[in-house]
Amino acid sequence: MTMDMKNQNFHISGNGKFSASIFEPSHRKTSAEIINEARHAIKETHTPAENVLINPAVHPIQTKRPFTPREKERHLFGNKSKTANRPPSSFSLRYLQNESDLPTNNLQETNMILSPSMLAASTRLSEDASSSIRHRSNSVSEINDDKIFNIGLKDLPMRKVRLPSLERPLPKRKLFKKNSLDNLLEETEEVKAPQFRNAYSSPEEKTEYNQSKFKTPFGRPSKRQDLSKCLLLGPQNLEKIFDNRQIIEHSTTLFVEKVLEAEDKTVDDIVACLNTQSCVKADEETVVRLLSEMYDCMEKQKMLDVKVTSKMKIHILKCLYRFVESPNPVLLLGLARIILALKVTGNNLSGVCKLLFKVAKNDCNDHLFLEKNILELLLDALGRSSPLDDSEACVYGYGAVKFLSMNNQLQQKMISLGTLDLMALHMKIINVAKLDKIAMTEQTRHALFQLTAALRNLASEDTIFERFNSSGATSELCVTMEMFSEDADVISNISRILSIISTNGSCCDKIIEKKDVYKIFVQLFEKYSGSEEIIVRLTYTMGNIVAKVDSTREKFFHEFKSIDTLLKLWKIYLERTLKVCSMKTDDGSESEDGKCSEDVMIKVLRITANIVINPEIGREVNEKYGLKLIDEFLKVLISNPFKRNQELVLAILGTLNNLSYYYITETEQDIFHVRQVDIIEGISEYTKSTNNEYVVEAMRILGNLSRSKITISYVVKNDIFQTLISLLDHYEHRILKTTMGVFVNLMADNKSRTLFKKSGGVKKLIAILEKYGQNDWLMGTLVCQALWNYAIDSIDLYDLFTEDEVQKLLVLLADYLDDEKLFGIKDDIEDSDIYASQEYMIWDEFANVATNLLEKIEYFLDTFDQIDLESKEEVKKKDISTNLSFAAW
């Protein structure tokens, strides 16, 4: 019973599997049925490129990921920023010494921090994001207009918004000038003007001075007793009493000194000590120690967990801002640690973010961010910030994160602290605002640039890919790419991120969930067609997307102008490469610009090659664009400037192979039929190359075209045939296999058979079968098919084989067809696991061809003495119908 007869009661069910007919009782599956079912399952679950049994010729093209260099120097925007009016990377923090504005913002003064645990629920923001953003976006305009950082959204056009504090620095402050922090407006409580108290009075009892009564050189009481009482106020109040530096510097003996242990000090005590340090030449080690003591003291007094009053906040900040111009990074981080712990907002938050940015600019300071909890405080501050209302703080805060994420240790720590979730949430806030057409300052766009640049650094590890998906970062990047398509710097950052994460299958799946994602890519291909660094990464990303899932190929191909845009990119960078090649460097080597242009060409080719894996797309591309593509490809293959680029040549050969697979032989309308000789001439030199990859791809193309009589005739008449014969001795397994595929087709021609015999081809094939057959059943199948086609018209096999060759074939075939010896199969036992194994199914394909060849040899030997002309004709007619070409493989 044939296999078809055995399976006549079976049909394919809706889920793609074989099932028993509803009219037949269930029964145990036969081995043939199990094999058939397993084969069908493989065909359903694998693309043609992934299953050699279905289509070994068409395959995805792989390419190197575009190199994404990290800037050696740490700059806010770098030297290649495409957007004008970016804020500078260097600035002075002296203005903080005069800063008096802690803007009123009751929402932020709740001390609510977006911790990693809270960020896990950030997806719920989408319902309320629009309203909350509108509510917060008004807070900037509520700040007093005369302050340095205040920018009224209604007063300034968005295109003219700057960072005034950086462009308009305040003049250097005079020492002991009356402090401006007394007029703070941050808290809702009323802050009264400071009043001097008698050192020995109760809190309500005030010291009375009649300044007109005392006429002294310093405008203060002249009696020593009254002076001593004033001095007991401590060094921190000297500036309120004296205007003369000499008195301050030489009056320490007048104070009532009180020595306190560190654990006994209060915040006020430490502030007093720091103020003393600011009055004289500060000892940095002492200041650093005092700052550490202050933070510890604040922690003990529970000031980190509760809302600190404006009065206390003013008191501390006035003291700390005296040291912001210090060059000591340890001291600056000590300041930042306390300021962040106070959960400052508005201008003070921007100032401390600038301070951290300043320290983070130098990679020598990276280790300092691993100490204590400065990194946690920075991320908490960003978590309490809005990229809309606190945009300047976000610019420098994320600028610091960008620098610090260049350090692997800090990068891992930031990821563990939930930084990725926070960044995804901030992107979402900006995207929703953009979608709802809410006015946003230019600084928000600057902050988005810093954020995406930091994300690029975080995407450098494979282990982070799943976190990109779970945090929502991948999805938000796609939205940002659409919303801010006009911002070249942001698109550049996103293209770098996508080129990295798209190497992961799950990230590709997340990217294609974005509605109209193919339209977005095609539009960006058009918009940034001249920007190599953007295009090379976007095309690489799309090449990854269409490499594995067939539905993505269809969606991209059917997107309006998709192929036309690819052809446009190809021509732009082909011309650019040729121009660069004509302007060689002094040493004759190729410039970096030339390499980048060729890299874009490779990525464009890869998209084309991968989408035509789909048979319908492949045939349609051949029909509509085949002539243009073949002309462009041959232009490169025969051009010397391009031959040096191995990856480009391989990409062209691979794309030609995938397209030529759909060649319909002997059809005048088929472009590959019309241009087949031109193509063979173009690839002929690559069949002789010492580069094995070139040879493999050239053999695949030749295998597709050699189904045509025109190609076979051309091969036989030229030296290509001898090249093929020599390749049968090659050590490279893939070269042998692809060359065997070409010979399967060539053996259908009588002239080829004659030349094959004279060249010793039979002996070479038998040697390959003996060496590789049992370890590679597909190789054995190709050898047997070539020998079958070689002998198909012959009755007297001794005209084609020597007696030794016939005997050798008999032994090998009988040995390779012994399934009991190979798999332990016996007639009375049906082992479904063996029949369903991939090795057995491949062997079964081999057995079908090898059995026909073995039976032909045995029949010839049995009837050798009785053969007459009539029987020869009957055998000939019977065998011709079973001739198979390489296309079947």
Side-chain angles (χ1 to χ4, degrees), residues 194-209 229 233:
Q195 296 175 336
F196 297 110
R197 294 179 179 176
N198 189 314
Y200 299 103
S201 66
S202 65
E204 290 80 13
E205 188 179 345
K206 301 172 184 175
T207 304
E208 298 293 338
Y209 291 107
K229 292 179 180 179
L233 288 170

Side-chain angles (χ1 to χ4, degrees), residues 587-622:
D587 58 358
S589 62
E590 187 177 3
S591 68
E592 288 299 320
D593 291 338
K595 293 179 181 178
C596 291
S597 298
E598 291 180 359
D599 206 16
V600 175
M601 295 169 63
I602 293 167
K603 273 45 176 184
V604 170
L605 280 171
R606 181 169 176 250
I607 296 176
T608 306
N610 289 350
I611 63 173
V612 300
I613 290 174
N614 179 289
E616 293 182 2
I617 295 175
R619 296 186 184 98
E620 192 169 346
V621 168
N622 277 352

Side-chain angles (χ1 to χ4, degrees), residues 86-151:
R86 295 295 199 190
S89 183
S90 299
F91 45 80
S92 171
L93 293 172
R94 184 176 294 279
Y95 71 88
L96 287 174
Q97 296 173 353
N98 291 335
E99 179 56 47
S100 62
D101 182 36
L102 290 176
T104 302
N105 194 328
N106 294 331
L107 178 63
Q108 291 192 3
E109 282 300 305
T110 58
N111 287 344
M112 184 175 68
I113 299 174
L114 289 173
S115 63
S117 59
M118 294 173 64
L119 287 169
S122 64
T123 54
R124 293 195 296 271
L125 176 71
S126 56
E127 293 81 3
D128 304 319
S130 181
S131 60
S132 65
I133 289 171
R134 291 191 186 96
H135 174 73
R136 293 208 45 162
S137 62
N138 294 327
S139 62
V140 175
S141 60
E142 295 170 5
I143 305 173
N144 294 340
D145 293 336
D146 59 339
K147 303 306 178 185
I148 225 171
F149 279 75
N150 299 344
I151 300 173

Side-chain angles (χ1 to χ4, degrees), residues 469 474-475 477-479 481 494 497-518 520-521 541-542 544-545:
N469 291 340
T474 304
S475 300
L477 281 168
C478 295
V479 177
M481 184 168 60
I494 294 177
I497 298 169
L498 294 182
S499 72
I500 299 171
I501 66 176
S502 64
T503 57
N504 177 268
S506 61
C507 288
C508 283
D509 294 340
K510 186 63 67 173
I511 292 171
I512 62 178
E513 288 179 6
K514 172 72 176 77
K515 184 181 179 182
D516 296 331
V517 68
Y518 304 98
I520 294 169
F521 269 86
T541 299
M542 183 52 64
N544 289 338
I545 291 173

